[in-house]
Amino acid sequence: MGSTSDKLSGAANKAAGNVRQAAGKATGSKEMQAKGKMQEMKGEAQQAKGKAKDAVKKVVDKA
């Protein structure tokens, strides 16, 4: 996966996780809230991976 794909997937997972957490709060489902938080964290990790790939590419391109 490229850096852009990682960042886009990460943003989508973060958004979906936030929605899932809100739905869990609205329904009182602790399980749904926890799954939403996990999905949000997965999205943050994907975005960080994409940013890291960009940073490596910049270093390689300068060399």
Side-chain angles (χ1 to χ4, degrees):
M1 218 183 248
S3 65
T4 302
S5 297
D6 286 330
K7 289 188 278 188
L8 290 174
S9 294
N13 270 320
K14 278 181 69 172
N18 284 327
V19 169
R20 187 180 260 180
Q21 285 181 70
K25 286 179 185 175
T27 61
S29 172
K30 297 288 184 190
E31 181 181 358
M32 188 179 285
Q33 288 179 26
K35 287 182 179 180
K37 184 63 177 173
M38 287 179 15
Q39 188 170 8
E40 180 184 3
M41 291 171 63
K42 177 182 175 183
E44 290 172 358
Q46 285 174 316
Q47 286 184 318
K49 181 179 174 183
K51 289 177 184 177
K53 284 182 181 179
D54 282 343
V56 169
K57 185 178 182 323
K58 285 180 184 177
V59 170
V60 169
D61 288 345
K62 285 184 180 180

